Amino acid sequence: MAETIKIAIAGYGNLGRGVETAIAKNKDMQLCGVYSRRSPESLKTVFNETPVYSIDELINHRDKIDVLILCGGSKEDLPEQGPLYAEHFNTVDSFDTHARIPEYFSSVDAVAKANNRTALISAGWDPGVFSINRVMSEALLPDGETYTFWGEGLSQGHSDAVRRVEGVADGVQYTRPVESAIEKVRSGSRPELSTREKHERICYIVLKEGADQEAVRQTIVEMPHYFSDYNTEVNFMSAEELARDHKAMPHGGFVIRSGNTTDANAQIIEYRLKLDSNPEFTSSILVAYARAVYRMAKKGQFGAQTVFDVPPAMLSSRAPEELRALML
Amino acid sequence: MAETIKIAIAGYGNLGRGVETAIAKNKDMQLCGVYSRRSPESLKTVFNETPVYSIDELINHRDKIDVLILCGGSKEDLPEQGPLYAEHFNTVDSFDTHARIPEYFSSVDAVAKANNRTALISAGWDPGVFSINRVMSEALLPDGETYTFWGEGLSQGHSDAVRRVEGVADGVQYTRPVESAIEKVRSGSRPELSTREKHERICYIVLKEGADQEAVRQTIVEMPHYFSDYNTEVNFMSAEELARDHKAMPHGGFVIRSGNTTDANAQIIEYRLKLDSNPEFTSSILVAYARAVYRMAKKGQFGAQTVFDVPPAMLSSRAPEELRALML
């Protein structure tokens, strides 16, 4: 492993920290710097030796950076940063607004192609490795149904929603797949499952002083889009209990393909993630895909890319001969 | 989907039959013919309309065939047929002698490269999609351990071994992963597991008349390489019971990666197959990879390939834009 891939991080929240940590676990990579909107002095990195710069310096450093990992959010940051930085860098991001992926892909693709850059969008686990399993398992078993279950895990969007309810001081929301639904799918029977039958929602709420517990519960369970289609359990606790028991960010889920090769023979493909930390795992995936982006750029495979375009070998630090000899 | 991919089958055992069935489930494919050493008249195909030819005609038909799927065995057939047919065809095979893959790859690669052909070797589930999961999960979680468990399923090699024991008229062998070992791995503790701790073996035996049951049991459980390192259960039954209960070919297993992104956070990636029919699933995989081979050949990606070289999008009959819009 002669080459070292030089990586930079744009944006330093949970994801940026996770990428900093993940790079240290990949011997063929080197972190050139963290670039943030915050002042470099105020920013506390995981490793003392990590260079920190103002985001304003990023484009000036472009010749020192092989791949830039965009660690901003999908709502505000990436729609702007994706096309902006694809002009100057090979990039990877975790854009995860499923409905807007085609539009985002086009905007990044135009810039990346015009500038001979490789820009891989929407890496992570969903979109990401879950998507790979949806595509591959459908291709391997064309006569079948694919089921995606999320959880048990902390949902950021739903936690935000409960915290906006009047009378709520703080709170979190967990999504949990219904175990009996998973068992039905695993049986090969290809059940039709309603939203309510697939997932349930569990909330842990700290009330504001004087708030009406029953009114809060009612508002949550009846909230359209977020909760009204689910069975929702609402629990109340103190701020101390919430801080003690619910500050981790576990997540995970299942992609299950149930198919038949003949009427007599059902075949089940199941991919499961059980994650202690959702952002750290996403970061670790971004770093593996940065390796692939580096290699695709070297091969001249420019433009926007997704996880669907990356052969497994490109993710690995091992040489192709070693992969064939040891892992095939 | 305007294009139709024209596929031929070389060799007509369980795998060839499975490929014939699988092609019918892929609307962008057409079966041009089954080529067998047996006389075309004696061969009973799944579908009456399937054209059957002598294997001697195969090379004469090469201009009508986009991809040839080699359905012979890894021991006798493929070492000869792989390089032979890679001169004239784009090919896919399920070569599964793990230890000889590098040698087989080289012999096929030389011929395929010299003749501008694409030859994908060792497709299936192990080697195959299990191998992909070993490579990808290691890349996504470099600090970790990967565990492969097989079963519960019928093992062809071990069944052959018990049938060779003196006093055995017929028999089958199932490999079963030890449930407590899987649970230990899923816990994130990264256990060291001995051969005996990972799998157990279960045999169903029909004795020859007058054979000594206890001697047969003893010979089986003490058989080096095959059984002596495992806890083995030996059951005896009549030929009728064996025929009634043990003629299916179920299999499956697990690839589990247990890794840490930080000391505090364990992350588990689990890939599981539960197969009613091992050969039919392998066949279905061969057909999906035939689509990829067709596309790689069109792009000029010649030479021997493995599943590690194939981007997920190439396996799917859907267009890239559709994959991004619907499945990412």
Side-chain angles (χ1 to χ4, degrees):
Chain A
M1 197 57 50
E3 279 175 312
T4 299
I5 307 172
K6 289 165 281 169
I7 311 274
I9 296 171
Y12 197 73
N14 281 330
L15 219 49
R17 288 180 74 83
V19 169
E20 184 187 5
T21 313
I23 289 169
K25 292 189 182 278
N26 287 276
K27 308 238 176 308
D28 57 343
M29 297 192 181
Q30 184 199 327
L31 176 57
C32 321
V34 165
Y35 295 79
S36 167
R37 280 185 293 244
R38 282 176 279 169
S39 76
E41 302 74 39
S42 72
L43 204 144
K44 181 83 193 80
T45 53
V46 177
F47 304 112
N48 287 330
E49 62 272 29
T50 298
V52 180
Y53 304 100
S54 159
I55 192 93
D56 302 330
E57 296 195 64
L58 180 53
I59 291 173
N60 297 334
H61 291 182
R62 67 180 200 171
D63 295 337
K64 304 194 300 181
I65 295 166
D66 292 320
V67 183
L68 176 66
I69 302 184
L70 304 179
C71 296
S74 297
K75 217 168 172 182
E76 307 287 332
D77 303 321
L78 295 176
E80 190 199 320
Q81 293 179 353
L84 174 68
Y85 291 127
E87 183 182 339
H88 305 282
F89 299 95
N90 303 308
T91 62
V92 185
D93 69 50
S94 63
F95 185 81
D96 66 358
T97 312
H98 290 263
R100 305 192 66 182
I101 284 174
E103 175 191 343
Y104 182 65
F105 181 91
S106 295
S107 78
V108 171
D109 190 48
V111 179
K113 279 218 179 91
N115 292 279
N116 287 355
R117 301 290 180 181
T118 306
L120 191 136
I121 70 159
S122 302
W125 59 275
D126 197 354
V129 290
F130 266 26
S131 321
I132 290 176
N133 278 279
R134 285 189 286 263
V135 167
M136 286 191 61
S137 63
E138 182 188 73
L140 302 183
L141 292 173
D143 172 9
E145 288 292 331
T146 302
Y147 300 81
T148 303
F149 293 93
W150 295 275
E152 176 163 349
L154 186 83
S155 303
Q156 214 53 66
H158 283 76
S159 295
D160 290 346
V162 299
R163 285 190 290 259
R164 285 193 300 264
V165 168
E166 206 188 308
V168 171
D170 200 358
V172 294
Q173 194 269 183
Y174 296 89
T175 302
R176 185 194 290 159
V178 175
E179 191 60 39
S180 62
I182 294 179
E183 286 311 320
K184 255 185 225 159
V185 169
R186 282 182 181 146
S187 77
S189 70
R190 302 203 211 166
E192 273 196 46
L193 297 169
S194 67
T195 299
R196 191 177 300 275
E197 287 169 321
K198 285 184 72 184
H199 294 95
E200 52 202 14
R201 301 193 175 280
I202 303 99
C203 304
Y204 295 92
I205 302 294
V206 179
L207 289 175
K208 283 187 182 154
E209 226 184 287
D212 177 345
Q213 180 172 309
E214 204 37 44
V216 165
R217 182 199 306 273
Q218 212 55 31
T219 307
I220 291 173
V221 302
E222 292 173 358
M223 194 186 298
H225 308 303
Y226 286 89
F227 292 98
S228 60
D229 295 338
Y230 299 86
N231 292 335
T232 302
E233 179 188 306
V234 184
N235 305 284
F236 296 92
M237 50 174 43
S238 69
E240 294 69 36
E241 287 170 314
L242 191 82
R244 186 192 65 203
D245 299 337
H246 299 285
K247 284 301 156 198
M249 284 180 280
H251 219 309
F254 304 78
V255 175
I256 309 180
R257 178 76 174 175
S258 169
N260 279 73
T261 43
T262 52
D263 290 349
N265 289 323
Q267 319 271 19
I268 309 288
I269 304 174
E270 175 174 331
Y271 187 78
R272 179 188 187 178
L273 296 174
K274 192 164 139 271
L275 310 174
D276 279 355
S277 166
N278 178 357
E280 282 181 16
F281 186 61
T282 301
S283 299
S284 199
I285 295 176
L286 287 170
V287 169
Y289 277 94
R291 180 181 293 117
V293 162
Y294 173 77
R295 292 171 176 177
M296 291 166 109
K298 287 232 157 182
K299 285 180 62 181
Q301 197 174 334
F302 301 128
Q305 313 286 334
T306 73
V307 294
F308 299 148
D309 304 308
V310 179
M314 280 219 183
L315 295 169
S316 174
S317 62
R318 297 179 190 262
E321 313 79 65
E322 194 185 351
L323 290 179
R324 288 192 296 267
L326 299 182
M327 303 183 79
L328 195 59
Chain B
M1 196 56 51
E3 279 176 313
T4 298
I5 307 172
K6 288 166 283 168
I7 310 274
I9 296 171
Y12 198 75
N14 281 329
L15 219 50
R17 287 181 74 82
V19 168
E20 184 187 5
T21 313
I23 288 170
K25 291 189 183 278
N26 287 277
K27 308 240 176 306
D28 57 342
M29 298 190 179
Q30 185 199 325
L31 177 57
C32 322
V34 166
Y35 295 79
S36 166
R37 280 184 291 243
R38 280 176 281 168
S39 77
E41 302 72 41
S42 73
L43 206 142
K44 180 84 193 77
T45 52
V46 178
F47 305 112
N48 286 329
E49 62 271 31
T50 298
V52 180
Y53 304 99
S54 159
I55 193 93
D56 301 330
E57 296 195 64
L58 180 52
I59 291 174
N60 298 334
H61 292 184
R62 68 181 200 170
D63 295 336
K64 304 194 300 179
I65 295 166
D66 292 320
V67 183
L68 177 67
I69 302 184
L70 305 179
C71 296
S74 297
K75 217 167 172 181
E76 307 288 331
D77 304 320
L78 294 176
E80 188 199 321
Q81 292 178 352
L84 173 67
Y85 291 127
E87 183 182 338
H88 305 281
F89 299 95
N90 303 308
T91 62
V92 184
D93 71 49
S94 62
F95 185 82
D96 66 359
T97 312
H98 290 262
R100 307 193 64 181
I101 284 174
E103 176 192 344
Y104 182 63
F105 181 91
S106 297
S107 79
V108 172
D109 190 48
V111 179
K113 279 219 180 90
N115 293 278
N116 287 355
R117 300 290 180 182
T118 306
L120 191 136
I121 70 160
S122 301
W125 61 273
D126 197 354
V129 291
F130 265 26
S131 322
I132 290 176
N133 277 278
R134 285 189 286 263
V135 167
M136 286 192 60
S137 64
E138 182 189 74
L140 302 183
L141 292 173
D143 172 10
E145 288 292 332
T146 302
Y147 301 82
T148 302
F149 293 93
W150 295 276
E152 177 164 347
L154 185 84
S155 304
Q156 213 54 68
H158 283 74
S159 295
D160 290 345
V162 299
R163 285 192 289 258
R164 284 192 300 264
V165 169
E166 205 187 309
V168 171
D170 201 356
V172 296
Q173 195 268 181
Y174 296 89
T175 303
R176 184 194 288 160
V178 176
E179 191 59 39
S180 61
I182 295 180
E183 286 310 319
K184 254 186 226 160
V185 169
R186 283 183 180 145
S187 77
S189 70
R190 300 202 211 167
E192 274 197 45
L193 297 169
S194 68
T195 299
R196 192 178 298 274
E197 287 169 321
K198 285 184 72 183
H199 295 95
E200 52 202 15
R201 301 195 176 277
I202 303 99
C203 304
Y204 295 92
I205 302 293
V206 179
L207 289 175
K208 282 186 182 155
E209 226 185 283
D212 177 346
Q213 179 171 310
E214 203 36 46
V216 167
R217 181 198 307 273
Q218 213 54 32
T219 307
I220 292 172
V221 303
E222 291 173 359
M223 196 187 297
H225 309 303
Y226 286 89
F227 293 99
S228 61
D229 295 338
Y230 299 85
N231 292 335
T232 301
E233 181 186 306
V234 183
N235 305 284
F236 296 93
M237 50 175 41
S238 69
E240 294 69 36
E241 287 169 314
L242 191 82
R244 187 192 64 204
D245 300 336
H246 299 284
K247 284 301 157 198
M249 284 179 278
H251 219 307
F254 304 77
V255 175
I256 309 179
R257 178 77 175 174
S258 169
N260 280 71
T261 43
T262 52
D263 290 349
N265 290 322
Q267 320 271 20
I268 310 288
I269 304 174
E270 175 173 331
Y271 186 79
R272 178 188 187 180
L273 296 174
K274 192 165 141 272
L275 309 174
D276 279 356
S277 166
N278 178 357
E280 283 182 15
F281 186 61
T282 301
S283 298
S284 200
I285 295 176
L286 287 171
V287 170
Y289 277 94
R291 181 181 291 118
V293 162
Y294 173 76
R295 292 172 175 175
M296 291 166 108
K298 286 232 156 181
K299 287 179 63 182
Q301 197 175 332
F302 301 130
Q305 313 287 334
T306 74
V307 296
F308 299 149
D309 304 309
V310 179
M314 280 219 184
L315 295 169
S316 174
S317 62
R318 296 179 191 262
E321 312 80 62
E322 194 185 351
L323 290 178
R324 289 192 295 267
L326 300 183
M327 302 183 79
L328 194 61

